[in-house]
Amino acid sequence: MISITFVVCVLLGALLYEGAALKKKVAGNEAKKVAISEEIKKEEERTKEIEETKEYMQSDEYAEKVARDKLGLVKNNEIVFKEEK
């Protein structure tokens, strides 16, 4: 009877120890889950910004801006002032 009680106590102790270890793993996994969720949210926002930039770059407004800035083009009735060096 004593030996059976001893074995049951040892098994109970082992189960409690393993249960505590599993709780730590679950807590760690929950923290990772939260971190990954935040990272996904940031990447979705970044993707949205990239899509908006892509749409802007395909617009006439962007083409006109690039033509003015990089190529120095102007519209017909515009007056261009240049600085003297």
Side-chain angles (χ1 to χ4, degrees):
M1 185 72 169
I2 294 176
S3 62
I4 293 174
T5 305
F6 177 73
V7 170
V8 169
C9 287
V10 169
L11 290 175
L12 182 63
L15 286 175
L16 290 175
Y17 177 76
E18 289 297 320
L22 288 175
K23 283 183 183 179
K24 287 181 184 178
K25 283 185 180 181
V26 167
N29 288 341
E30 287 295 323
K32 286 180 185 178
K33 180 181 172 183
V34 169
I36 289 172
S37 295
E38 290 175 4
E39 189 174 330
I40 288 172
K41 184 178 177 182
K42 287 179 185 177
E43 289 300 322
E44 286 173 347
E45 290 174 2
R46 184 171 171 250
T47 301
K48 183 179 176 185
E49 289 175 6
I50 290 171
E51 288 296 324
E52 289 172 356
T53 302
K54 181 180 174 184
E55 288 178 21
Y56 172 68
M57 291 177 80
Q58 293 174 348
S59 69
D60 291 338
E61 180 183 344
Y62 177 75
E64 183 179 325
K65 182 179 184 291
V66 169
R68 289 176 175 273
D69 294 343
K70 299 207 179 202
L71 302 175
L73 299 179
V74 294
K75 291 184 178 180
N76 286 338
N77 295 327
E78 288 184 331
I79 300 173
V80 178
F81 296 97
K82 294 185 178 181
E83 291 183 29
E84 291 184 22
K85 294 184 179 181

